[in-house]
Amino acid sequence: MLRDLRDQKARTLLVVLSIAVGVFAVGMIAGTRQILTHQLNTSYQSINPAHALLGVNGFDSDLLAAVQRMPEVESATARFSLRTRASLGPGRWLDFTIFALPDWENIPINIVRSESGPWPPPRDAVVVERTSLPMLKSAIGDTLSLELPDGRLRDVSVVGTAHDINLPPARFTNQGYGYATFDTLERWGFPKQYTSLSITVADPQGRNDQEYIQSVADLVKDKVESSGRVVTFTYVPEPGKHPADEVLAPVFLLLGVLGLLSLFLSAFLVINTIAAIMAQQVRQIGVMKTIGARFGQLVTLYLGMVLVFGLLALLIAIPAGLAGAYGFTSFLATFLNFDVVYEGIPVPAVGLQVLVGLLIPMIAALLPIRNGARVTIREAISSYGLGKGRFGQGSFDRLLVNSQRVLPWLSRPLMISLRNTFRRKGRLALTMVTLTLGGAIFVAVLSVRASLYQTVDDAVRNNNFHIIIGIDRDVRTEALQEAALQTPGVIAAESWGRASARRQRPDAPADSTADNSLPSLPSRNGQADSQVSTQPGMPGGESDEIRINAPPAGSKMVNPQMVAGRWLLPEDENALVVNTNFMDAEKDVRLGDTITLKINDKESDWVIVGVMEGVLDQATAYANYDYFSRLMGRTGRANGLRVLTNSEDPAVHVRVAAALEQKFKEDGYTVTQLSTRAENLEGTEYQFGILVNLLMVMTLLMALVGGLGLMGTMSINVIERTREIGVMRAIGAATRSIMQIITVEGILIGLISWIQATILAYPLSRLLSDQVGLAFTDAPLSFAFSVQGIVIWLAIVTIVAALASYLPARNASRLTVREVLAYE
Amino acid sequence: MFGRSKRAKIVTPTSNPGAYRFGNQRLIELRTVTKAYETAAGPFVALKHIDLEVDRGEFVAVVGKSGSGKSTLINMITGIDRPSSGEVLIGDTAVHTLSEGQMAVWRGRHVGVIFQFFQLLPTLTVLENVMLPMDFCNTYPARERPERAMALLEEVDMVDHADKLPSATSGGQQQRVAIARALANDPAMIVADEPTGNLDSRTAEAVFSLFGRLVDEGKTVLMVTHDDDLAHRVSRTVTIADGLIVSDTGHGSATMPQPVAEQMAV
């Protein structure tokens, strides 16, 4: 048997590769999961992550010391954060947040590690978080021009880099982060004070108890508020878990499913190949039975052969899986801002590989081995001539035979290809399953990609403007709009009222200090982040932050996709249209309900008149500008604009934004906010891009399995038809004819699988798109089916089929007639 | 059994001795052909310095015990195998110099090969099997091929089975189809390796008669056989033992004294 494996090198390699691909996929995914989860959490724990984070409107070291003295608190630290903009060149800016720390050498919580340069940075210098450096298009030693919130410009030197695992990579958020001392900030006119407070709890039992941590955070909140400060938010993350853990779980679930699928398809390849080997071994089995071999002995013998295949596959799959796991983890780590170190072999993942690498092929081979070993001696020694595959017995075969009448232009060699395709129907079915699933998943992944971008488009469609610009004070809306409209490229400008609100849930006491709701601001650094999580709120207390947008009545810049109720009418006063994200967060609210919102510490009642689709959005409510500005005491005035340009080109938006900024500065305003639509979506598209890339890696693996499957099938077909090929050679078939017959058969299989894949792709795309949406955005994605994917798969499957059948065809054409006719 | 022949349709070139390109006087000339195989037990010489000449219109039986080298000899002539040394000249072609691909095309056009186990392609109908050599060698215009194939099938009395798959016909019928296929490109030479070895005696007799008719039409037929009776009824018998031609009876008569078919009608 071992001699047989050695002599049939190509066949052995094919089986071993078939098994190895599936086992590699399982090993890579399981290994990545193990290495990533372990190292991410180890790295995260090494910075002593905060148990709770509170946003406070400015406090000093005395209050920090008071919190540190609280018996429930193990340690506490504070940070000051300042939002600036870093110049990237004429008219181009990157939001840049600067953090200042109370003690640079001894950071007890959320430790930041210096990676290069002086720490702390000297006066008028910044240390940049390492992922921000490329975004700033700067290098150490460069000077960075920062614009402060009041519009003043200050130059700082970039003197080093630091690593803060708590910060997402700058490309994710499309903003940079850096560190400067209070010395620098005080020179810029900012007093030494802090804006966020991080704590760890003292009770070792309570460190993993989110409820307990929340209660301590509430005590700290009380303490802070009793000193006269305002707590803007409290955030208690899931204890001990890196914030990305939540995102990684569905990613691994998805990759795991695809990994298992490739293993499953690998098993199909094993079934096909073992069945072919058993067919080739028929005579040998007959001889062994003649000299006394029993069924059980034969089964054991051939299972032993499969075991050897499995062991050989493991020799490839384990090192490849290990390299893949570390490579994949390093790739993912760049998106999670942590470093991967080699920590040896992930034993459980390798154990899983060994288990599936040995067990799955044995299970898959059991049926073909059983069937092969059952052959009678008479059947085994009586086979001769051509005709394996019992062609011509079924009605489908008869249909194919009659097809010559319908397709008289089809040449005999092509007819042979067509009929050969359907000779081994079981083998064809298994090959088809592999290729069809590979194709359907390929198209589904591209459909998810299309759906992700469709979702972004839908999100954009809700807001029909290109630029948001904010200034430092309230100005008459007409004056603002006029200034904007004088800028070349601007075709419309609207002043919108903006505010943050929190819903006062029905049974909440009027005093928000009695708040017992679960705070859930996802920002991990205490910076004034406007993004709010959409986790369902509990009845009672205050809601998470809700964004209020107040466009003028009849605004052309909002294009709501209504789900229920109606859009705002000009005569509406305290009417609100909320988005679906709001409804998800405030599950007890119904259309027509009256809710109480707390805006700038003032409560007001609002009636919900409509619900609009919220795509990639936070909980948001829309009100009429006139009523809203009256309520806020800012009638006819605004501090920002939405601007529509005459182009959809993001480059034009950037140019117009720069021109707008220039114009507003010339008019004496300080621009505090300036962003284009493309910039706002860049981070989201980047994140989607990563997800799609991950899925594409797995899809290519599936295509590889499919290609291997087809190559295996074609090789087996060629081996089985070696004698036929010899006969064709003997009656005048040239090399080209033989290659054509085999290659066309391979391509036919590919094309049929493509048709099937196209049919299966639609429901699969829908399912995958919905699940990805639910996992990553809490709502199904806006579905878009990738027709482009179908066309690309057609090209791939044709090329793969041609390549997969080329080698067997070439081998066949190289056989001499004597070898062929002496075969068996 | 194979009555109603339309022999006129099968065009056979006239013999043109002495006019071949390599100076060979006969259609088939083997010059000091040796064939040795490497085996695990050392080199095995299957043919030893064989010289053989066969002219047009000869019906030659190659006989010998199993392993004597008769199939190897036939394989040299059909180009299925090539000599270790020596020359194989068939008409204007030095067969031993051709590549495998060139050999296939040459064989398709000039040699009709018939196997013991018929070797019809199982996915093609009887008619399609007969048309296939014409397709491969592009010897007749595509629209003429079905008509010619039907004529050949009529020649072997298989017209009624034209649309059947080979698996739906008997062994004898399949061998007749194989003969029709061998004649598809109108080759000057038919080479058959034990063509009756797998047939009952009645069918074998009919096949043999068909070969006789082909010889009458001017074809050269070489046939490996174990059947002494059949071997004695051909114009020439070449006996091989241990890779050597040990006897060559009937050699020298370039044409048969009387039509073979009549002679064989015993």
Side-chain angles (χ1 to χ4, degrees):
Chain A
M1 181 193 74
L2 288 174
R3 202 169 298 131
D4 188 59
L5 294 183
R6 191 195 59 201
D7 293 344
Q8 301 278 339
K9 285 190 192 69
R11 188 194 66 193
T12 304
L13 188 68
L14 203 66
V15 187
V16 167
L17 276 181
S18 303
I19 301 170
V21 171
V23 178
F24 160 75
V26 167
M28 184 177 79
I29 292 161
T32 303
R33 187 183 184 134
Q34 194 189 332
I35 298 165
L36 186 72
T37 311
H38 177 247
Q39 295 204 12
L40 180 63
N41 282 325
T42 309
S43 300
Y44 186 56
Q45 291 309 322
S46 75
I47 64 156
N48 194 26
H51 293 149
L53 190 68
L54 290 88
V56 186
N57 68 340
F59 63 99
D60 54 18
S61 300
D62 292 344
L63 180 64
L64 175 62
V67 172
Q68 280 169 336
R69 284 195 298 272
M70 287 173 70
E72 297 83 0
V73 172
E74 181 196 50
S75 64
T77 188
R79 275 185 184 195
F80 172 72
S81 65
L82 175 68
R83 280 201 161 189
T84 71
R85 295 198 301 162
S87 173
L88 302 178
R92 289 190 56 80
W93 298 93
L94 179 74
D95 286 344
F96 188 71
T97 303
I98 294 177
F99 299 111
L101 311 173
D103 183 349
W104 295 80
E105 298 305 329
N106 180 26
I107 308 169
I109 301 171
N110 286 349
I111 298 165
V112 181
R113 293 196 174 92
S114 163
E115 290 205 334
S116 67
W119 185 259
R123 186 181 286 179
D124 292 334
V126 289
V127 165
V128 172
E129 209 290 323
R130 62 184 192 175
T131 61
S132 302
L133 207 54
M135 293 287 285
L136 290 166
K137 298 178 173 37
S138 298
I140 292 171
D142 286 357
T143 299
L144 211 56
S145 180
L146 299 179
E147 191 193 62
L148 303 182
D150 56 8
R152 285 177 296 149
L153 289 174
R154 290 290 179 270
D155 284 347
V156 288
S157 308
V158 177
V159 292
T161 56
H163 177 209
D164 186 350
I165 197 177
N166 243 325
L167 285 174
R171 279 205 67 183
F172 260 57
T173 49
N174 203 28
Q175 64 171 310
Y177 306 96
Y179 302 86
T181 58
F182 278 110
D183 263 6
T184 304
L185 297 175
E186 278 171 342
R187 275 166 63 86
W188 295 350
F190 296 96
K192 184 173 179 178
Q193 61 171 6
Y194 306 110
T195 51
S196 72
L197 180 64
S198 304
I199 60 156
T200 52
V201 299
D203 184 359
Q205 304 289 318
R207 299 174 80 91
N208 292 318
D209 183 347
Q210 199 166 7
E211 235 173 89
Y212 173 73
I213 296 170
Q214 180 68 58
S215 67
V216 175
D218 288 342
L219 288 175
V220 174
K221 184 184 175 194
D222 290 348
K223 181 104 181 164
V224 171
E225 288 183 336
S226 66
S227 74
R229 275 93 171 181
V230 175
V231 173
T232 50
F233 67 86
T234 52
Y235 173 51
V236 178
E238 198 175 338
K241 288 208 167 162
H242 186 279
D245 238 40
E246 204 180 317
V247 182
L248 288 173
V251 168
F252 279 118
L253 181 70
L254 205 60
L255 293 179
V257 169
L258 291 177
L260 282 178
L261 209 55
S262 26
L263 185 68
F264 178 64
L265 297 183
S266 280
F268 277 11
L269 305 190
V270 173
I271 294 176
N272 259 355
T273 322
I274 300 297
I277 291 173
M278 296 310 287
Q280 280 178 276
Q281 297 272 315
V282 149
R283 286 229 172 125
Q284 205 170 316
I285 291 169
V287 172
M288 284 192 280
K289 282 197 166 180
T290 311
I291 58 170
R294 291 192 308 276
F295 173 76
Q297 288 171 316
L298 288 170
V299 169
T300 311
L301 177 75
Y302 286 104
L303 278 181
M305 180 179 74
V306 176
L307 192 68
V308 174
F309 283 142
L311 286 169
L312 290 173
L314 286 177
L315 286 180
I316 300 171
I318 290 176
L322 196 63
Y326 271 105
F328 205 29
T329 309
S330 300
F331 172 71
L332 289 173
T334 59
F335 304 116
L336 300 169
N337 197 11
F338 86 101
D339 299 316
V340 179
V341 289
Y342 181 73
E343 281 188 337
I345 294 168
V347 176
V350 172
L352 183 66
Q353 277 187 297
V354 172
L355 190 74
V356 299
L358 298 181
L359 213 59
I360 298 287
M362 299 257 266
I363 294 169
L366 215 51
L367 191 70
I369 286 179
R370 193 198 68 158
N371 291 345
R374 267 187 175 175
V375 74
T376 64
I377 297 173
R378 189 192 56 77
E379 285 168 342
I381 58 177
S382 69
S383 67
Y384 62 84
L386 307 185
K388 281 177 185 164
R390 295 192 286 283
F391 182 83
Q393 292 184 346
S395 51
F396 185 73
D397 289 352
R398 281 196 291 277
L399 188 75
L400 280 177
V401 170
N402 292 329
S403 62
Q404 178 74 59
R405 291 188 191 127
V406 189
L407 309 165
W409 41 266
L410 209 61
S411 72
R412 246 72 57 201
L414 285 179
M415 195 55 84
I416 293 174
S417 302
L418 178 66
R419 293 176 192 171
N420 277 348
T421 305
F422 297 97
R423 266 169 90 172
R424 287 286 199 174
K425 294 184 184 64
R427 183 182 305 156
L428 176 69
L430 290 184
T431 313
M432 283 289 178
V433 169
T434 317
L435 276 176
T436 303
L437 272 178
I441 291 170
F442 180 86
V443 178
V445 167
L446 285 188
S447 293
V448 168
R449 180 172 176 267
S451 301
L452 287 167
Y453 293 125
Q454 180 66 49
T455 309
V456 171
D457 282 351
D458 285 358
V460 167
R461 205 179 49 194
N462 274 348
N463 295 310
N464 187 26
F465 52 80
H466 300 140
I467 299 164
I468 298 177
I469 185 162
I471 56 170
D472 59 336
R473 58 185 183 275
D474 281 350
V475 179
R476 269 193 323 109
T477 54
E478 291 82 0
L480 267 183
Q481 286 165 13
E482 203 170 309
L485 288 168
Q486 283 170 7
T487 309
V490 173
I491 54 170
E494 287 183 1
S495 305
W496 284 25
R498 293 179 299 163
S500 278
R502 283 177 192 265
R503 179 185 166 222
Q504 303 301 297
R505 291 176 178 143
D507 57 346
D511 181 3
S512 66
T513 54
D515 178 13
N516 62 352
S517 66
L518 282 178
S520 56
L521 196 82
S523 164
R524 294 179 252 151
N525 291 280
Q527 64 196 84
D529 193 334
S530 62
Q531 199 186 1
V532 170
S533 81
T534 52
Q535 63 172 282
M538 306 287 285
E542 258 180 20
S543 72
D544 291 340
E545 193 179 276
I546 297 160
R547 186 176 60 192
I548 306 284
N549 281 335
S555 167
K556 297 275 185 293
M557 294 197 185
V558 58
N559 182 25
Q561 310 299 309
M562 298 307 294
V563 173
R566 61 166 175 85
W567 180 242
L568 297 167
L569 300 172
E571 60 270 25
D572 280 337
E573 295 239 302
N574 64 337
L576 272 187
V577 171
V578 295
N579 67 1
T580 44
N581 307 73
F582 173 96
M583 297 301 274
D584 285 342
E586 302 298 303
K587 292 199 185 302
D588 58 314
V589 175
R590 298 284 175 272
L591 185 69
D593 282 359
T594 299
I595 61 167
T596 303
L597 293 180
K598 189 172 169 185
I599 309 168
N600 293 346
D601 276 336
K602 238 174 92 180
E603 287 185 8
S604 48
D605 285 344
W606 299 82
V607 180
I608 295 179
V609 296
V611 179
M612 63 184 276
E613 189 74 61
V615 186
L616 298 177
D617 209 352
Q618 66 183 79
T620 304
Y622 288 81
N624 266 342
Y625 173 76
D626 285 346
Y627 176 78
F628 180 77
S629 59
R630 218 165 52 236
L631 189 75
M632 297 290 110
R634 299 157 63 184
T635 308
R637 303 176 77 78
N639 60 1
L641 280 177
R642 259 74 169 161
V643 175
L644 185 67
T645 72
N646 57 3
S647 168
E648 288 296 317
D649 181 358
V652 172
H653 302 165
V654 170
R655 279 205 299 277
V656 174
L660 272 171
E661 184 178 22
Q662 187 62 30
K663 168 74 181 155
F664 275 68
K665 277 183 178 166
E666 283 167 10
D667 290 357
Y669 305 121
T670 298
V671 175
T672 53
Q673 186 192 5
L674 185 67
S675 61
T676 67
R677 184 172 72 186
E679 285 165 1
N680 290 336
L681 292 173
E682 216 166 84
T684 309
E685 287 185 347
Y686 181 64
Q687 292 172 44
F688 283 177
I690 295 162
L691 181 64
V692 168
N693 283 337
L694 288 178
L695 291 172
M696 286 308 283
V697 169
M698 294 310 295
T699 306
L700 288 180
L701 212 57
M702 303 283 286
L704 180 67
V705 176
L708 269 179
L710 185 58
M711 189 182 280
T713 297
M714 293 312 298
S715 299
I716 296 163
N717 286 353
V718 166
I719 290 168
E720 274 188 6
R721 293 176 202 151
T722 304
R723 190 171 272 267
E724 279 176 37
I725 291 163
V727 169
M728 285 194 276
R729 275 288 212 200
I731 61 171
T735 303
R736 199 166 49 97
S737 304
I738 299 289
M739 289 194 66
Q740 182 195 326
I741 287 172
I742 294 163
T743 311
V744 168
E745 183 184 341
I747 292 174
L748 264 176
I749 295 176
L751 290 180
I752 297 166
S753 80
W754 174 77
I755 294 169
Q756 294 179 166
T758 302
I759 296 165
L760 184 64
Y762 190 87
L764 197 66
S765 300
R766 184 109 223 180
L767 182 75
L768 198 61
S769 171
D770 285 357
Q771 292 308 310
V772 166
L774 288 169
F776 294 97
T777 69
D778 288 329
L781 300 176
S782 307
F783 181 65
F785 185 60
S786 175
V787 178
Q788 190 192 22
I790 288 177
V791 176
I792 295 173
W793 182 248
L794 174 64
I796 290 178
V797 85
T798 310
I799 293 167
V800 165
L803 288 178
S805 49
Y806 173 76
L807 274 183
R810 200 184 59 162
N811 291 341
S813 69
R814 282 181 174 178
L815 290 168
T816 66
V817 184
R818 189 186 67 81
E819 283 170 337
V820 167
L821 295 179
Y823 193 78
E824 287 184 337
Chain B
M1 189 173 179
F2 298 131
R4 307 193 321 272
S5 73
K6 290 187 178 175
R7 290 179 211 175
K9 284 195 175 178
I10 301 171
V11 181
T12 306
T14 52
S15 174
N16 193 8
Y20 295 114
R21 191 174 152 199
F22 295 96
N24 41 323
Q25 297 298 308
R26 312 285 181 202
L27 176 67
I28 301 169
E29 272 196 40
L30 271 66
R31 296 178 182 169
T32 4
V33 167
T34 295
K35 179 65 189 178
Y37 295 106
E38 285 302 322
T39 68
F44 168 73
V45 184
L47 294 178
K48 298 166 185 168
H49 306 290
I50 297 285
D51 287 304
L52 178 70
E53 291 183 355
V54 178
D55 208 350
R56 285 179 176 271
E58 281 197 85
F59 191 169
V60 182
V62 181
V63 296
K65 289 181 180 168
S66 193
S68 59
K70 55 186 188 302
S71 286
T72 309
L73 178 68
I74 289 290
N75 286 348
M76 294 296 134
I77 294 166
T78 53
I80 282 174
D81 206 349
R82 44 184 88 235
S84 305
S85 65
E87 292 178 322
V88 179
L89 304 171
I90 312 285
D92 284 332
T93 309
V95 176
H96 58 283
T97 63
L98 299 180
S99 71
E100 192 69 21
Q102 290 169 324
M103 195 94 85
V105 177
W106 168 82
R107 194 187 304 114
R109 292 186 179 205
H110 300 285
V111 188
V113 184
I114 298 164
F115 305 93
Q116 181 180 359
F117 292 119
F118 336 125
Q119 313 287 24
L120 299 177
L121 293 190
T123 54
L124 296 183
T125 62
V126 161
L127 179 68
E128 288 166 342
N129 262 289
V130 178
M131 284 195 280
L132 194 59
M134 296 184 256
D135 294 325
F136 282 143
C137 299
N138 211 15
T139 40
Y140 293 87
R143 61 179 181 283
E144 286 179 21
R145 290 173 199 165
E147 194 187 338
R148 175 170 171 77
M150 284 304 275
L152 290 167
L153 285 175
E154 197 173 341
E155 188 81 10
V156 297
D157 204 15
M158 282 296 290
V159 170
D160 294 343
H161 304 278
D163 291 330
K164 287 181 182 170
L165 287 172
S167 55
T169 60
S170 69
Q173 287 171 325
Q174 286 188 42
Q175 194 60 302
R176 279 189 271 155
V177 176
I179 293 169
R181 181 178 68 180
L183 295 170
N185 285 329
D186 194 21
M189 178 170 80
I190 305 290
V191 179
D193 193 354
E194 306 245 14
T196 56
N198 204 41
L199 302 176
D200 61 71
S201 56
R202 191 163 157 265
T203 316
E205 183 62 43
V207 167
F208 191 68
S209 298
L210 184 58
F211 283 152
R213 256 194 2 245
L214 293 174
V215 173
D216 289 346
E217 288 163 9
K219 304 277 184 204
T220 303
V221 176
L222 270 91
M223 177 180 73
V224 171
T225 184
H226 271 108
D227 190 327
D228 278 349
D229 277 354
L230 291 182
H232 285 108
R233 286 160 52 195
V234 298
S235 59
R236 181 176 167 193
T237 303
V238 175
T239 308
I240 302 212
D242 297 328
L244 293 166
I245 296 178
V246 292
S247 87
D248 188 352
T249 59
H251 180 38
S253 53
T255 51
M256 297 180 80
Q258 55 178 308
V260 175
E262 282 176 31
Q263 194 188 40
M264 288 190 301
V266 286

